[in-house]
Protein backbone atom coordinates (compact mmCIF):
# COMPACT_ATOMS: atom_id res chain seq x y z
CA UNK A 1 0.00 0.00 0.00
CA UNK A 2 2.93 2.25 -0.35
CA UNK A 3 3.22 4.85 -3.07
CA UNK A 4 4.88 2.25 -5.31
CA UNK A 5 1.50 0.63 -5.87
CA UNK A 6 1.02 2.96 -8.86
CA UNK A 7 1.16 1.34 -12.27
CA UNK A 8 2.01 4.62 -13.97
CA UNK A 9 5.65 5.70 -13.72
CA UNK A 10 4.57 9.31 -13.13
CA UNK A 11 2.68 8.52 -9.92
CA UNK A 12 3.48 10.89 -7.11
CA UNK A 13 6.05 10.81 -4.37
CA UNK A 14 6.13 12.95 -1.27
CA UNK A 15 8.09 13.27 1.94
CA UNK A 16 11.46 11.75 2.76
CA UNK A 17 12.56 8.18 2.28
CA UNK A 18 14.88 6.09 4.46
CA UNK A 19 18.31 4.87 3.45
CA UNK A 20 20.28 2.02 4.95
CA UNK A 21 23.05 4.43 5.92
CA UNK A 22 20.76 6.64 7.97
CA UNK A 23 19.12 3.61 9.59
CA UNK A 24 22.46 2.01 10.46
CA UNK A 25 23.40 5.15 12.37
CA UNK A 26 20.55 4.52 14.80
CA UNK A 27 20.34 2.16 17.73
CA UNK A 28 17.73 1.14 20.28
CA UNK A 29 14.17 2.36 20.61
CA UNK A 30 14.84 6.02 21.27
CA UNK A 31 13.37 8.71 19.04
CA UNK A 32 15.32 8.17 15.83
CA UNK A 33 13.55 10.76 13.70
CA UNK A 34 11.15 10.05 10.91
CA UNK A 35 12.43 6.51 10.20
CA UNK A 36 13.89 3.77 12.37
CA UNK A 37 13.97 0.05 13.10
CA UNK A 38 11.73 -1.97 15.41
CA UNK A 39 14.47 -4.62 15.67
CA UNK A 40 17.68 -2.59 15.37
CA UNK A 41 20.02 -5.37 16.52
CA UNK A 42 18.92 -8.07 14.06
CA UNK A 43 21.33 -8.74 11.21
CA UNK A 44 20.26 -7.70 7.70
CA UNK A 45 19.39 -10.32 5.13
CA UNK A 46 21.58 -10.02 2.05
CA UNK A 47 20.23 -11.62 -1.13
CA UNK A 48 21.48 -11.27 -4.71
CA UNK A 49 19.32 -9.66 -7.37
CA UNK A 50 19.18 -12.91 -9.34
CA UNK A 51 17.63 -14.76 -6.40
CA UNK A 52 15.17 -11.91 -5.78
CA UNK A 53 14.16 -11.84 -9.45
CA UNK A 54 13.52 -15.57 -9.45
CA UNK A 55 11.35 -15.32 -6.33
CA UNK A 56 9.50 -12.27 -7.66
CA UNK A 57 8.68 -14.06 -10.91
CA UNK A 58 7.21 -16.96 -8.91
CA UNK A 59 4.84 -14.52 -7.16
CA UNK A 60 2.69 -14.07 -10.29
CA UNK A 61 -1.06 -14.59 -9.82
CA UNK A 62 -2.19 -16.35 -12.97
CA UNK A 63 -5.97 -16.23 -12.47
CA UNK A 64 -6.88 -13.28 -10.18
CA UNK A 65 -9.73 -15.31 -8.70
CA UNK A 66 -8.68 -15.67 -5.06
CA UNK A 67 -11.32 -13.61 -3.26
CA UNK A 68 -10.87 -12.70 0.40
CA UNK A 69 -14.45 -12.86 1.70
CA UNK A 70 -13.35 -11.12 4.90
CA UNK A 71 -12.12 -7.95 3.19
CA UNK A 72 -14.15 -5.90 0.67
CA UNK A 73 -11.98 -4.35 -2.04
CA UNK A 74 -12.43 -0.78 -0.81
CA UNK A 75 -10.07 -1.50 2.08
CA UNK A 76 -7.20 -2.00 -0.39
CA UNK A 77 -7.42 1.66 -1.39
CA UNK A 78 -8.36 2.91 2.05
CA UNK A 79 -5.02 1.36 2.99
CA UNK A 80 -3.27 3.38 0.29
CA UNK A 81 -5.04 6.55 1.45
CA UNK A 82 -3.89 5.84 5.03
CA UNK A 83 -0.34 5.18 3.83
CA UNK A 84 -0.22 8.59 2.18
CA UNK A 85 -1.60 10.19 5.34
CA UNK A 86 1.10 8.76 7.60
CA UNK A 87 3.96 9.40 5.17
CA UNK A 88 3.14 12.95 4.09
CA UNK A 89 5.90 15.41 5.02
CA UNK A 90 4.81 19.07 5.08
CA UNK A 91 8.01 20.47 6.56
CA UNK A 92 9.91 23.11 4.64
CA UNK A 93 13.14 22.57 2.73
CA UNK A 94 14.87 24.81 5.23
CA UNK A 95 13.80 22.61 8.13
CA UNK A 96 14.96 19.52 6.24
CA UNK A 97 18.41 21.00 5.73
CA UNK A 98 18.60 22.20 9.32
CA UNK A 99 17.66 18.88 10.90
CA UNK A 100 18.55 15.96 8.60
CA UNK A 101 17.74 13.27 11.20
CA UNK A 102 14.25 14.65 11.65
CA UNK A 103 14.14 14.39 15.45
CA UNK A 104 13.18 17.98 16.17
CA UNK A 105 11.73 19.73 13.14
CA UNK A 106 10.11 17.10 10.96
CA UNK A 107 6.45 16.27 11.39
CA UNK A 108 6.02 12.77 12.74
CA UNK A 109 3.88 10.02 11.24
CA UNK A 110 0.32 10.46 12.46
CA UNK A 111 -3.24 9.59 11.49
CA UNK A 112 -4.18 13.27 11.40
CA UNK A 113 -5.59 13.64 7.85
CA UNK A 114 -3.13 16.34 6.83
CA UNK A 115 -3.51 14.85 3.34
CA UNK A 116 -7.07 16.23 3.51
CA UNK A 117 -6.54 19.43 5.50
CA UNK A 118 -3.12 20.61 4.38
CA UNK A 119 -2.26 23.52 6.67
CA UNK A 120 -5.88 24.47 7.24
CA UNK A 121 -7.95 27.35 5.81
CA UNK A 122 -5.28 29.93 6.67
CA UNK A 123 -2.23 28.02 5.42
CA UNK A 124 -3.84 26.20 2.47
CA UNK A 125 -6.76 28.43 1.38
CA UNK A 126 -6.85 26.82 -2.09
CA UNK A 127 -8.23 23.64 -0.50
CA UNK A 128 -11.28 25.37 0.97
CA UNK A 129 -14.56 26.73 -0.37
CA UNK A 130 -15.17 30.45 -0.02
CA UNK A 131 -17.39 31.64 2.79
CA UNK A 132 -18.68 35.07 3.85
CA UNK A 133 -16.70 37.95 2.35
CA UNK A 134 -15.01 35.42 0.05
CA UNK A 135 -12.71 34.24 2.84
CA UNK A 136 -11.89 30.51 3.08
CA UNK A 137 -14.67 28.73 4.95
CA UNK A 138 -14.64 25.69 7.22
CA UNK A 139 -15.68 23.51 4.28
CA UNK A 140 -13.40 21.81 1.79
CA UNK A 141 -13.65 22.63 -1.90
CA UNK A 142 -15.30 19.87 -3.96
CA UNK A 143 -14.76 19.43 -7.70
CA UNK A 144 -17.29 18.55 -10.39
CA UNK A 145 -17.39 15.92 -13.10
CA UNK A 146 -17.97 16.43 -16.79
CA UNK A 147 -19.57 14.66 -19.73
CA UNK A 148 -17.18 12.12 -21.20
CA UNK A 149 -16.41 11.12 -24.75
CA UNK A 150 -19.68 12.11 -26.45
CA UNK A 151 -19.55 9.37 -29.07
CA UNK A 152 -19.61 6.80 -26.27
CA UNK A 153 -23.04 5.34 -25.54
CA UNK A 154 -21.99 4.84 -21.92
CA UNK A 155 -21.89 8.58 -21.17
CA UNK A 156 -23.80 9.74 -18.09
CA UNK A 157 -25.26 13.19 -18.72
CA UNK A 158 -25.05 15.91 -16.12
CA UNK A 159 -22.50 17.44 -13.79
CA UNK A 160 -21.98 15.88 -10.35
CA UNK A 161 -19.95 17.06 -7.32
CA UNK A 162 -17.87 13.90 -7.48
CA UNK A 163 -14.37 14.81 -8.63
CA UNK A 164 -11.42 16.26 -6.79
CA UNK A 165 -11.10 20.04 -7.21
CA UNK A 166 -8.61 20.77 -9.97
CA UNK A 167 -6.38 23.50 -11.38
CA UNK A 168 -6.98 24.81 -14.93
CA UNK A 169 -4.57 22.11 -16.14
CA UNK A 170 -6.17 19.24 -14.25
CA UNK A 171 -3.87 18.92 -11.23
CA UNK A 172 -5.81 17.97 -8.11
CA UNK A 173 -6.03 20.73 -5.48
CA UNK A 174 -5.60 18.46 -2.48
CA UNK A 175 -3.24 18.13 0.47
CA UNK A 176 -1.34 15.17 -1.03
CA UNK A 177 -1.00 14.91 -4.81
CA UNK A 178 -0.38 11.14 -4.56
CA UNK A 179 -4.10 10.67 -3.89
CA UNK A 180 -4.75 11.55 -7.53
CA UNK A 181 -2.63 8.68 -8.87
CA UNK A 182 -5.55 6.30 -9.38
CA UNK A 183 -9.31 6.68 -9.40
CA UNK A 184 -10.05 4.46 -6.39
CA UNK A 185 -7.77 6.30 -3.98
CA UNK A 186 -8.97 9.63 -5.46
CA UNK A 187 -12.62 8.73 -4.80
CA UNK A 188 -11.63 7.61 -1.28
CA UNK A 189 -9.99 11.00 -0.71
CA UNK A 190 -13.14 12.69 -2.00
CA UNK A 191 -15.29 10.66 0.42
CA UNK A 192 -13.26 11.98 3.37
CA UNK A 193 -13.57 15.53 2.08
CA UNK A 194 -17.34 15.12 1.93
CA UNK A 195 -17.28 13.52 5.38
CA UNK A 196 -15.65 16.64 6.78
CA UNK A 197 -18.21 18.89 5.08
CA UNK A 198 -21.05 16.77 6.48
CA UNK A 199 -19.66 17.08 9.99
CA UNK A 200 -19.48 20.87 9.50
CA UNK A 201 -23.19 20.82 8.60
CA UNK A 202 -24.04 18.72 11.65
CA UNK A 203 -22.13 21.04 13.98
CA UNK A 204 -23.75 24.14 12.49
CA UNK A 205 -27.21 22.60 12.98
CA UNK A 206 -26.64 21.54 16.58
CA UNK A 207 -28.15 23.54 19.49
CA UNK A 208 -24.62 24.20 20.76
CA UNK A 209 -23.14 25.21 17.41
CA UNK A 210 -19.56 26.45 17.66
CA UNK A 211 -18.62 29.98 16.74
CA UNK A 212 -17.38 30.53 13.16
CA UNK A 213 -13.84 30.78 14.50
CA UNK A 214 -14.15 27.40 16.26
CA UNK A 215 -16.14 25.57 13.57
CA UNK A 216 -13.25 24.24 11.47
CA UNK A 217 -11.23 23.06 14.44
CA UNK A 218 -14.16 21.25 16.05
CA UNK A 219 -15.09 19.62 12.75
CA UNK A 220 -11.51 18.51 12.12
CA UNK A 221 -11.28 17.01 15.60
CA UNK A 222 -14.55 15.07 15.18
CA UNK A 223 -13.54 13.82 11.76
CA UNK A 224 -10.00 12.88 12.80
CA UNK A 225 -11.05 11.03 15.95
CA UNK A 226 -13.66 9.02 14.07
CA UNK A 227 -11.11 8.30 11.33
CA UNK A 228 -8.55 7.10 13.88
CA UNK A 229 -11.11 4.84 15.54
CA UNK A 230 -12.20 3.52 12.14
CA UNK A 231 -8.61 2.76 11.09
CA UNK A 232 -7.86 0.86 14.29
CA UNK A 233 -11.11 -1.09 14.54
CA UNK A 234 -12.58 -1.40 11.03
CA UNK A 235 -9.30 -1.57 9.10
CA UNK A 236 -6.49 -2.89 11.31
CA UNK A 237 -8.63 -5.46 13.13
CA UNK A 238 -10.10 -6.63 9.81
CA UNK A 239 -6.57 -7.32 8.53
CA UNK A 240 -5.29 -8.80 11.80
CA UNK A 241 -7.79 -10.10 14.38
CA UNK A 242 -10.76 -8.89 16.37
CA UNK A 243 -9.84 -7.48 19.78
CA UNK A 244 -6.14 -7.00 19.07
CA UNK A 245 -6.35 -3.23 19.60
CA UNK A 246 -7.74 -3.55 23.14
CA UNK A 247 -5.25 -6.29 23.95
CA UNK A 248 -2.22 -4.27 22.79
CA UNK A 249 -3.47 -1.19 24.63
CA UNK A 250 -3.90 -3.28 27.79
CA UNK A 251 -0.60 -5.15 27.55
CA UNK A 252 1.42 -2.30 26.06
CA UNK A 253 3.38 -2.24 22.81
CA UNK A 254 6.23 -4.73 23.02
CA UNK A 255 8.10 -4.09 19.78
CA UNK A 256 7.14 -0.65 18.42
CA UNK A 257 8.47 1.57 21.20
CA UNK A 258 9.61 5.16 21.42
CA UNK A 259 10.19 7.68 24.20
CA UNK A 260 7.80 10.44 23.09
CA UNK A 261 7.96 10.83 19.32
CA UNK A 262 6.66 8.16 16.91
CA UNK A 263 8.81 7.15 13.97
CA UNK A 264 8.13 5.12 10.82
CA UNK A 265 9.66 1.64 11.27
CA UNK A 266 11.05 0.13 8.08
CA UNK A 267 9.87 -3.34 9.08
CA UNK A 268 6.39 -1.84 8.70
CA UNK A 269 6.83 0.45 5.69
CA UNK A 270 9.20 -1.83 3.79
CA UNK A 271 7.52 -5.16 4.51
CA UNK A 272 4.40 -5.66 6.65
CA UNK A 273 2.32 -2.80 5.27
CA UNK A 274 3.10 -3.82 1.71
CA UNK A 275 0.50 -6.53 2.18
CA UNK A 276 -1.77 -4.28 0.10
CA UNK A 277 0.05 -5.14 -3.10
CA UNK A 278 -1.18 -8.72 -2.71
CA UNK A 279 -4.75 -7.45 -2.18
CA UNK A 280 -4.96 -5.58 -5.51
CA UNK A 281 -7.29 -7.10 -8.13
CA UNK A 282 -6.72 -7.05 -11.88
CA UNK A 283 -10.26 -5.77 -12.61
CA UNK A 284 -13.19 -4.41 -10.60
CA UNK A 285 -16.92 -3.94 -10.93
CA UNK A 286 -16.76 -0.15 -10.58
CA UNK A 287 -20.32 1.03 -11.23
CA UNK A 288 -23.26 0.00 -13.43
CA UNK A 289 -21.40 1.16 -16.56
CA UNK A 290 -17.97 -0.36 -15.98
CA UNK A 291 -18.64 -3.86 -14.74
CA UNK A 292 -18.55 -7.40 -16.09
CA UNK A 293 -21.68 -7.57 -18.23
CA UNK A 294 -21.66 -3.81 -18.79
CA UNK A 295 -19.50 -1.81 -21.18
CA UNK A 296 -16.34 -3.33 -19.65
CA UNK A 297 -14.91 -4.11 -16.22
CA UNK A 298 -12.67 -1.47 -14.67
CA UNK A 299 -9.10 -2.64 -15.23
CA UNK A 300 -6.14 -1.27 -13.28
CA UNK A 301 -4.97 0.47 -16.46
CA UNK A 302 -8.26 2.38 -16.78
CA UNK A 303 -8.39 3.22 -13.08
CA UNK A 304 -4.93 4.77 -13.31
CA UNK A 305 -5.73 6.54 -16.60
CA UNK A 306 -8.50 8.67 -15.07
CA UNK A 307 -6.22 10.71 -12.83
CA UNK A 308 -4.29 13.95 -12.97
CA UNK A 309 -0.94 12.33 -12.28
CA UNK A 310 -1.28 9.99 -15.26
CA UNK A 311 -1.98 12.90 -17.62
CA UNK A 312 -5.45 11.50 -18.31
CA UNK A 313 -7.17 14.50 -16.66
CA UNK A 314 -5.65 17.74 -17.98
CA UNK A 315 -8.24 20.49 -17.52
CA UNK A 316 -8.18 23.16 -20.23
CA UNK A 317 -5.51 21.22 -22.12
CA UNK A 318 -8.04 18.55 -23.12
CA UNK A 319 -9.03 18.50 -26.82
CA UNK A 320 -12.41 20.02 -27.65
CA UNK A 321 -14.25 18.09 -28.86
CA UNK A 322 -12.83 15.02 -27.20
CA UNK A 323 -11.34 12.47 -29.54
CA UNK A 324 -10.99 9.60 -27.04
CA UNK A 325 -11.93 8.77 -23.44
CA UNK A 326 -8.69 10.47 -22.27
CA UNK A 327 -7.23 13.00 -22.00
CA UNK A 328 -10.24 14.75 -20.52
CA UNK A 329 -10.76 17.99 -18.61
CA UNK A 330 -12.24 16.47 -15.42
CA UNK A 331 -13.42 13.07 -14.30
CA UNK A 332 -16.14 11.78 -16.62
CA UNK A 333 -19.49 11.29 -14.87
CA UNK A 334 -19.66 7.66 -15.94
CA UNK A 335 -16.58 6.93 -13.80
CA UNK A 336 -18.11 8.01 -10.46
CA UNK A 337 -17.71 5.14 -8.01
CA UNK A 338 -20.57 3.00 -6.70
CA UNK A 339 -19.48 2.38 -3.12
CA UNK A 340 -21.84 -0.60 -2.74
CA UNK A 341 -19.40 -2.51 -4.95
CA UNK A 342 -16.42 -1.76 -2.66
CA UNK A 343 -17.84 -1.96 0.89
CA UNK A 344 -20.38 -4.36 2.35
CA UNK A 345 -23.63 -2.45 2.92
CA UNK A 346 -25.43 -5.77 3.35
CA UNK A 347 -28.42 -5.07 1.11
CA UNK A 348 -27.19 -4.74 -2.46
CA UNK A 349 -29.90 -5.07 -5.10
CA UNK A 350 -29.60 -7.74 -7.80
CA UNK A 351 -26.81 -6.98 -10.25
CA UNK A 352 -24.76 -4.87 -7.80
CA UNK A 353 -21.76 -7.09 -7.13
CA UNK A 354 -19.44 -6.57 -4.16
CA UNK A 355 -15.74 -6.73 -5.07
CA UNK A 356 -13.57 -8.48 -2.54
CA UNK A 357 -9.85 -7.90 -2.14
CA UNK A 358 -7.49 -10.64 -3.24
CA UNK A 359 -6.35 -12.96 -0.51
CA UNK A 360 -3.26 -11.93 1.39
CA UNK A 361 -0.75 -14.39 -0.02
CA UNK A 362 2.57 -14.42 -1.90
CA UNK A 363 0.93 -13.75 -5.26
CA UNK A 364 0.49 -10.43 -7.07
CA UNK A 365 -1.59 -9.74 -10.20
CA UNK A 366 0.09 -9.53 -13.58
CA UNK A 367 -0.37 -5.76 -13.97
CA UNK A 368 1.93 -5.18 -11.00
CA UNK A 369 4.56 -7.52 -12.47
CA UNK A 370 4.63 -5.51 -15.70
CA UNK A 371 4.84 -1.85 -14.73
CA UNK A 372 5.51 0.69 -17.50
CA UNK A 373 9.15 0.35 -18.46
CA UNK A 374 9.16 -3.35 -17.66
CA UNK A 375 9.67 -3.14 -13.88
CA UNK A 376 8.25 -5.76 -11.49
CA UNK A 377 6.68 -4.46 -8.29
CA UNK A 378 7.38 -7.70 -6.38
CA UNK A 379 11.06 -7.45 -7.32
CA UNK A 380 11.15 -3.77 -6.35
CA UNK A 381 9.65 -4.63 -2.95
CA UNK A 382 12.11 -7.45 -2.34
CA UNK A 383 15.04 -5.33 -3.49
CA UNK A 384 13.93 -2.45 -1.29
CA UNK A 385 13.98 -4.76 1.73
CA UNK A 386 17.59 -5.72 1.01
CA UNK A 387 18.61 -2.11 0.42
CA UNK A 388 17.07 -1.09 3.76
CA UNK A 389 18.87 -3.90 5.56
CA UNK A 390 15.69 -5.65 6.71
CA UNK A 391 16.22 -8.86 8.70
CA UNK A 392 14.78 -12.21 7.62
CA UNK A 393 11.27 -13.18 8.58
CA UNK A 394 12.63 -16.00 10.73
CA UNK A 395 14.85 -13.57 12.67
CA UNK A 396 11.90 -11.29 13.39
CA UNK A 397 9.67 -14.20 14.41
CA UNK A 398 12.37 -15.38 16.82
CA UNK A 399 12.85 -11.88 18.25
CA UNK A 400 9.09 -11.65 18.79
CA UNK A 401 9.06 -15.10 20.43
CA UNK A 402 6.30 -16.24 18.08
CA UNK A 403 5.29 -19.67 19.42
CA UNK A 404 4.66 -21.27 16.05
CA UNK A 405 6.86 -19.64 13.38
CA UNK A 406 6.77 -20.87 9.80
CA UNK A 407 8.92 -23.92 9.18
CA UNK A 408 11.22 -24.21 6.19
CA UNK A 409 8.83 -26.86 4.82
CA UNK A 410 5.92 -24.41 5.04
CA UNK A 411 7.96 -21.71 3.30
CA UNK A 412 8.77 -24.26 0.59
CA UNK A 413 5.13 -25.18 -0.04
CA UNK A 414 3.43 -24.32 -3.32
CA UNK A 415 4.89 -23.27 -6.65
CA UNK A 416 6.26 -20.06 -5.17
CA UNK A 417 7.78 -21.89 -2.21
CA UNK A 418 9.54 -24.34 -4.49
CA UNK A 419 11.32 -21.41 -6.10
CA UNK A 420 12.12 -19.92 -2.69
CA UNK A 421 13.70 -23.23 -1.72
CA UNK A 422 15.63 -23.51 -4.97
CA UNK A 423 17.11 -20.06 -4.28
CA UNK A 424 18.00 -21.00 -0.70
CA UNK A 425 15.42 -18.59 0.75
CA UNK A 426 13.27 -21.09 2.65
CA UNK A 427 15.37 -20.93 5.83
CA UNK A 428 16.25 -17.23 5.80
CA UNK A 429 13.41 -15.51 3.99
CA UNK A 430 12.85 -11.87 2.93
CA UNK A 431 10.53 -10.29 5.50
CA UNK A 432 7.88 -9.11 3.02
CA UNK A 433 7.58 -12.55 1.44
CA UNK A 434 7.59 -14.25 4.87
CA UNK A 435 4.69 -12.11 6.05
CA UNK A 436 2.63 -12.86 2.92
CA UNK A 437 3.43 -16.58 3.19
CA UNK A 438 2.52 -16.53 6.89
CA UNK A 439 -0.89 -15.02 6.08
CA UNK A 440 -1.50 -17.68 3.45
CA UNK A 441 -0.34 -20.70 5.51
CA UNK A 442 -1.62 -19.68 8.93
CA UNK A 443 -4.81 -17.77 8.03
CA UNK A 444 -5.82 -19.03 4.59
CA UNK A 445 -5.06 -15.59 3.14
CA UNK A 446 -7.94 -13.96 5.01
CA UNK A 447 -5.74 -11.91 7.35
CA UNK A 448 -2.18 -11.50 8.53
CA UNK A 449 -0.41 -14.13 10.59
CA UNK A 450 1.26 -13.51 13.97
CA UNK A 451 4.36 -11.61 12.79
CA UNK A 452 2.59 -9.40 10.27
CA UNK A 453 -0.45 -8.80 12.49
CA UNK A 454 1.60 -7.73 15.49
CA UNK A 455 3.77 -5.33 13.49
CA UNK A 456 0.79 -3.69 11.77
CA UNK A 457 -1.32 -3.46 14.94
CA UNK A 458 1.44 -2.10 17.18
CA UNK A 459 2.55 0.52 14.67
CA UNK A 460 -0.93 1.90 14.03
CA UNK A 461 -1.77 1.94 17.73
CA UNK A 462 1.56 3.64 18.45
CA UNK A 463 1.01 6.28 15.77
CA UNK A 464 -2.36 7.18 17.27
CA UNK A 465 -1.15 7.02 20.86
CA UNK A 466 1.91 9.14 20.06
CA UNK A 467 -0.25 11.93 18.65
CA UNK A 468 -1.10 14.25 21.52
CA UNK A 469 -4.22 15.45 19.69
CA UNK A 470 -5.59 11.94 19.13
CA UNK A 471 -8.60 10.47 20.86
CA UNK A 472 -6.35 7.99 22.71
CA UNK A 473 -4.37 10.88 24.22
CA UNK A 474 -7.23 13.29 24.81
CA UNK A 475 -9.99 10.87 25.82
CA UNK A 476 -8.33 7.53 26.49
CA UNK A 477 -9.01 4.04 25.10
CA UNK A 478 -12.59 3.96 26.41
CA UNK A 479 -13.76 6.73 24.05
CA UNK A 480 -16.23 5.54 21.45
CA UNK A 481 -17.52 7.26 18.29
CA UNK A 482 -20.45 9.64 18.68
CA UNK A 483 -21.55 10.21 15.08
CA UNK A 484 -24.56 8.30 13.68
CA UNK A 485 -23.80 4.67 12.85
CA UNK A 486 -25.59 1.35 12.37
CA UNK A 487 -24.22 0.19 15.72
CA UNK A 488 -24.01 3.01 18.29
CA UNK A 489 -20.53 3.40 19.73
CA UNK A 490 -18.81 2.13 16.59
CA UNK A 491 -17.93 3.74 13.26
CA UNK A 492 -17.02 1.98 10.02
CA UNK A 493 -16.37 2.98 6.42
CA UNK A 494 -19.95 1.95 5.62
CA UNK A 495 -21.17 4.32 8.38
CA UNK A 496 -19.01 7.12 6.98
CA UNK A 497 -20.34 6.66 3.44
CA UNK A 498 -23.94 6.41 4.61
CA UNK A 499 -23.52 9.57 6.68
CA UNK A 500 -22.18 11.41 3.64
CA UNK A 501 -25.19 10.09 1.71
CA UNK A 502 -23.41 9.76 -1.63
CA UNK A 503 -23.21 6.00 -2.00
CA UNK A 504 -24.12 5.63 -5.70
CA UNK A 505 -24.61 9.04 -7.34
CA UNK A 506 -25.29 7.79 -10.88
CA UNK A 507 -27.59 4.94 -9.91
CA UNK A 508 -30.80 5.42 -11.88
CA UNK A 509 -29.45 8.25 -14.06
CA UNK A 510 -30.36 7.63 -17.70
CA UNK A 511 -27.39 7.27 -19.99
CA UNK A 512 -26.94 9.57 -22.97
Amino acid sequence: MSEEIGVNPKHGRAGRHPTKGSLDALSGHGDPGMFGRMFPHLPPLSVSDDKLKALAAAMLDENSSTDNERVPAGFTYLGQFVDHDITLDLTSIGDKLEDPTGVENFRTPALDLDSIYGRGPDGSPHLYARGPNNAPSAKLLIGKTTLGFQQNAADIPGVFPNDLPRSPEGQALIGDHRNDENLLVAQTHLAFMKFHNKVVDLLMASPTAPTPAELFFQARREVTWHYQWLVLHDFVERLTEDGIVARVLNEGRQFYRFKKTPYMPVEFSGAAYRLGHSMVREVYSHNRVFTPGGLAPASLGLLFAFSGLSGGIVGDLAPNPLTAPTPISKLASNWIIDWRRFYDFGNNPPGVTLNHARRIDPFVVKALHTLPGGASLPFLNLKRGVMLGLPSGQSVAQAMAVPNPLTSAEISSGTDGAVAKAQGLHEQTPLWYYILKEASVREGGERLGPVGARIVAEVFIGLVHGDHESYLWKKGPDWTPTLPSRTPGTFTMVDLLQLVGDVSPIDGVTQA
Side-chain angles (χ1 to χ4, degrees), residues 1 5 71-80 276 279-280 284 357-358:
M1 293 180 187
I5 197 172
V71 183
F75 287 99
T76 307
Y77 298 91
L78 174 64
Q80 189 182 15
M279 294 166 63
V280 172
Y284 295 90
R358 276 196 77 267

Side-chain angles (χ1 to χ4, degrees), residues 44 67 90 105 137 148 162 201 217 273 297 308 310 338 362 452 454 470 494 508 510:
D67 283 355
L90 294 177
N105 292 323
S137 72
N162 286 91
D201 289 339
F217 299 100
Y273 201 50
S310 72
D338 180 350
R454 192 74 188 195
S470 72
V494 168
T510 303

Side-chain angles (χ1 to χ4, degrees), residues 46-106:
S46 179
V47 183
S48 70
D49 283 1
D50 288 343
K51 292 179 182 291
L52 296 180
K53 288 177 180 177
L55 180 57
M59 297 176 71
L60 174 63
D61 177 16
E62 296 284 4
N63 55 39
S64 300
S65 62
T66 55
D67 283 355
N68 184 348
E69 300 288 340
R70 179 182 169 91
V71 183
F75 287 99
T76 307
Y77 298 91
L78 174 64
Q80 189 182 15
F81 173 84
V82 170
D83 172 67
H84 292 171
D85 182 35
I86 61 179
T87 61
L88 178 61
D89 186 358
L90 294 177
T91 47
S92 70
I93 292 176
D95 283 342
K96 293 178 183 182
L97 293 174
E98 178 182 336
D99 186 18
T101 64
V103 176
E104 297 295 335
N105 292 323
F106 286 113

Side-chain angles (χ1 to χ4, degrees), residues 341-357:
R341 300 171 190 266
F342 290 87
Y343 291 98
D344 188 3
F345 287 79
N347 57 351
N348 282 0
V352 178
T353 304
L354 175 64
N355 300 288
H356 289 96

Side-chain angles (χ1 to χ4, degrees), residues 102-274:
V103 176
E104 297 295 335
N105 292 323
F106 286 113
R107 66 173 297 279
T108 58
L111 290 163
D112 58 3
L113 289 175
D114 52 1
S115 60
I116 293 288
Y117 294 115
R119 298 184 182 276
D122 291 334
S124 303
H126 59 288
L127 304 183
Y128 295 83
R130 291 189 183 274
N133 302 318
N134 290 326
S137 72
K139 285 192 170 184
L140 291 155
L141 182 65
I142 304 297
K144 296 180 180 180
T145 61
T146 187
L147 187 67
F149 186 38
Q150 296 183 14
Q151 297 174 10
N152 190 331
D155 280 342
I156 299 293
V159 172
F160 299 81
N162 286 91
D163 190 17
L164 300 172
R166 298 187 179 278
S167 74
E169 294 190 351
Q171 301 285 4
L173 302 176
I174 54 178
D176 189 334
H177 64 286
R178 295 174 295 174
N179 285 345
D180 189 29
E181 75 175 22
N182 72 69
L183 183 54
L184 296 181
V185 75
Q187 293 279 285
T188 302
H189 187 108
L190 179 65
F192 276 92
M193 294 168 66
K194 291 189 172 188
F195 176 42
H196 168 85
N197 288 355
K198 182 66 175 182
V199 171
V200 169
D201 289 339
L202 293 175
L203 288 173
M204 291 174 64
S206 69
T208 56
T211 66
E214 297 171 335
L215 180 58
F216 168 76
F217 299 100
Q218 286 198 24
R220 179 172 184 171
R221 182 181 63 188
E222 285 292 314
V223 167
T224 303
W225 284 3
H226 282 76
Y227 162 67
Q228 291 169 344
W229 198 96
L230 178 158
V231 168
L232 293 184
H233 295 278
D234 193 27
F235 178 65
V236 170
E237 292 202 335
R238 186 179 299 271
L239 296 176
T240 56
E241 59 181 283
D242 295 338
I244 194 172
V245 172
R247 188 167 70 254
V248 171
L249 287 171
N250 181 60
E251 298 172 355
R253 288 174 277 109
Q254 299 178 41
F255 309 108
Y256 177 52
R257 302 171 63 187
F258 48 86
K259 291 180 180 178
K260 64 176 182 179
T261 305
Y263 65 95
M264 181 57 64
V266 290
E267 296 89 345
F268 172 85
S269 64
Y273 201 50
R274 293 178 182 248

Side-chain angles (χ1 to χ4, degrees), residues 271-350:
Y273 201 50
R274 293 178 182 248
L275 84 161
H277 295 164
S278 176
M279 294 166 63
V280 172
R281 299 182 65 92
E282 194 85 58
V283 297
Y284 295 90
S285 173
H286 185 73
N287 57 25
R288 64 183 175 88
V289 178
F290 294 97
T291 186
L295 180 67
S299 66
L300 282 182
L302 287 171
L303 292 169
F304 277 84
F306 282 94
S307 68
L309 286 178
S310 72
I313 297 179
V314 294
D316 295 343
L317 301 179
N320 187 16
L322 298 176
T323 56
T326 60
I328 195 170
S329 60
K330 305 172 185 176
L331 181 67
S333 296
N334 59 3
W335 277 102
I336 297 171
I337 198 168
D338 180 350
W339 287 116
R340 300 171 300 178
R341 300 171 190 266
F342 290 87
Y343 291 98
D344 188 3
F345 287 79
N347 57 351
N348 282 0

